Amino acid sequence: MPHTPGTPHIPGRTSSPDKAADSAAAPVVKCLVWDLDGTLWPGTLLEDGEAELPEEIRRTVVELDARGILQSVASRNDHEHAWGWLEKLGIAQYFVLPKIGWGRKSDSILALAEELQFAANTIAFIDDQPVERAEVAYVLPEVRCYEASEATTLTRRPEFSPATVTVDSANRRAMYQAGFRREDARTQHRGSDEEFLKSLEMELTIQHATDEEISRVEELTLRTSQMNATGVHYSDTRLRALLADPRHDVLVTTLADRFGRHGAVGVLLLERLERRWHLKLLATSCRVVSFGTGSTILRWLIDAAAAAGVHLTADFRATERNRIMEVTYRFAGFTDLSCQDCGARSGDATAARCLHLLPTPQEPSPTMRVVAPRLGGGAER
């Protein structure tokens, strides 16, 4: 909606004729920030001394959480008092990184975006006070703002309705909360990085994707850019075709440690030819780069190829963002050399290059346990 220069525009008005179009074009909301007084609960906590939670608001909070949308708080209140009431009402666990104090709400939302590493246009804010919405909209114009009266309609809006809800989506809040505890432990750790990684007691599970996991695999190929070896997106249809092909393995990797689950963090698309295995795609989540997950996956694959007596090749296509993946391949021993024995050809820099490796047995990862299938059949090891 056009607005007068110098006057902060307040997005989120149901009366705006452009709102539906704007919502459809904007990305799905990744985090909704709630005001408390007059929004999450009626009345003002400091004046009333207590709070009640309308059942329809509780249902909205629970449903957004189930869809994988994080929720937080930006409220002008005494932190201890307000948080105590959120605990009494049984909903404190749904809110990550709450900002309860007396500062500007735009500052709270900006700090939250930085801590979560979310773009401003993936954050929404709901508040009953026009001046608070105006302040946030003026400082952070990409943040979508909503009146408190719209709270119970949010779950019907496209921007709060992800196209698919995966297993990881439904557990997203728990994974982020585990991540905060993990980061606190890293900050407090005194010792080497390797000692800290060992202390996490990590377990990396590699398994063949199931029909139910295909949506998460597709999401990984679409959203992962820094740790995607080719930058190629594999659609649901294409992935299911590979899943049905006995020559291909569609593998998904998950990571867990003593703090909780990271969820699905990687995908491998492997074609098993007679004399070589060809890795068409390796993509891992940027969230786990610091744990060495990509290198551990490659170490396992190299060891499996050595045991099978085949060469290993891998597609790599340089993009603006995946330099770190190329370094991971190089450190693992992949080169651009062609190989007459297995028929691998190096390709050229303008297309996907076919990297080559003659596998040798690998030592187990010093920092994480790997649970994986025996490729081509057999029991897990």
Side-chain angles (χ1 to χ4, degrees):
M1 175 188 296
H3 62 284
T4 305
T7 303
H9 171 45
I10 306 174
R13 302 271 186 168
T14 54
S15 58
S16 169
D18 296 328
K19 183 173 182 183
D22 291 344
S23 297
V28 171
V29 170
K30 295 172 68 174
C31 181
L32 172 64
V33 183
W34 290 85
D35 168 50
L36 296 180
D37 293 334
T39 303
L40 190 75
W41 53 56
T44 303
L45 188 59
L46 289 179
E47 294 178 359
D48 301 335
E50 59 182 23
E52 295 182 358
L53 183 68
E55 191 56 36
E56 59 270 25
I57 296 293
R58 183 188 299 274
R59 285 196 296 267
T60 297
V61 170
V62 173
E63 176 59 27
L64 292 176
D65 181 73
R67 296 180 185 184
I69 297 173
L70 298 183
Q71 295 169 89
S72 188
V73 170
S75 172
R76 295 183 189 276
N77 257 302
D78 175 78
H79 186 281
E80 185 175 350
H81 190 199
W83 188 252
W85 272 100
L86 288 169
E87 292 179 323
K88 289 178 185 178
L89 294 169
I91 58 169
Q93 70 272 20
Y94 291 103
F95 300 106
V96 302
L97 303 174
K99 311 297 181 186
I100 304 174
W102 303 105
R104 297 194 312 172
K105 294 190 177 180
S106 62
D107 290 338
S108 295
I109 294 172
L110 182 60
L112 180 68
E114 291 175 347
E115 291 174 70
L116 291 173
Q117 298 183 1
F118 284 0
N121 66 351
T122 66
I123 294 177
F125 172 59
I126 185 165
D127 196 299
D128 66 312
Q129 295 296 317
V131 67
E132 299 286 11
R133 299 195 303 275
E135 191 268 329
V136 169
Y138 184 75
V139 177
L140 300 168
E142 290 185 292
V143 171
R144 282 165 279 183
C145 300
Y146 298 84
E147 299 175 8
S149 60
E150 299 177 278
T152 58
T153 72
L154 298 181
T155 57
R156 300 196 296 270
R157 295 178 178 274
E159 63 268 33
F160 291 92
S161 303
T164 59
V165 177
T166 65
V167 173
D168 283 353
S169 298
N171 292 314
R172 184 161 289 142
R173 169 178 50 87
M175 290 191 290
Y176 269 87
Q177 289 169 331
F180 302 145
R181 297 192 297 271
R182 193 178 295 113
E183 192 56 36
D184 286 343
R186 183 191 288 272
T187 301
Q188 297 171 21
H189 179 76
R190 298 293 178 265
S192 68
D193 287 344
E194 184 169 313
E195 288 172 341
F196 173 71
L197 294 178
K198 287 180 179 178
S199 76
L200 291 178
E201 303 170 11
M202 292 184 287
E203 182 172 283
L204 182 74
T205 300
I206 304 171
Q207 59 189 8
H208 288 92
T210 63
D211 284 341
E212 292 75 18
E213 291 169 319
I214 286 296
S215 59
R216 176 54 177 150
V217 173
E218 180 187 12
E219 184 182 43
L220 275 169
T221 72
L222 180 63
R223 298 180 61 179
T224 303
S225 57
Q226 287 181 308
M227 295 299 289
N228 186 317
T230 66
V232 174
H233 166 56
Y234 283 78
S235 67
D236 181 278
T237 301
R238 194 174 177 188
L239 287 168
R240 291 185 187 279
L242 293 177
L243 203 61
D245 185 344
R247 295 183 309 166
H248 283 84
D249 292 299
V250 179
L251 300 162
V252 61
T253 67
T254 58
L255 184 65
D257 61 28
R258 63 186 175 92
F259 289 102
R261 296 176 61 252
H262 294 263
V265 297
V267 56
L268 299 87
L269 303 181
L270 185 70
E271 182 181 15
R272 287 182 284 105
L273 303 170
E274 184 178 354
R275 290 181 292 170
R276 64 185 172 104
W277 288 352
H278 184 59
L279 185 58
K280 292 184 172 181
L281 176 70
L282 171 61
T284 65
S285 171
C286 299
R287 299 185 280 116
V288 294
V289 170
S290 62
F291 302 131
T293 306
S295 297
T296 300
I297 293 170
L298 283 179
R299 181 180 297 174
W300 163 78
L301 183 61
I302 293 168
D303 189 67
V310 296
H311 290 208
L312 193 58
T313 56
D315 283 342
F316 178 79
R317 179 184 285 104
T319 69
E320 294 180 356
R321 293 177 55 83
N322 70 351
R323 172 64 179 167
I324 189 171
M325 181 60 85
E326 182 173 18
V327 171
T328 301
Y329 274 136
R330 299 302 186 187
F331 276 6
F334 284 91
T335 71
D336 285 298
L337 298 178
S338 299
C339 177
Q340 293 182 349
D341 289 340
C342 71
R345 300 191 181 280
S346 62
D348 62 74
T350 61
R353 297 177 354 236
C354 183
L355 306 181
H356 178 269
L357 174 70
L358 182 58
T360 57
Q362 302 289 298
E363 292 294 324
S365 167
T367 59
M368 65 180 72
R369 176 172 177 259
V370 177
V371 178
R374 192 178 303 278
L375 294 180
E380 292 189 349
R381 58 193 178 100

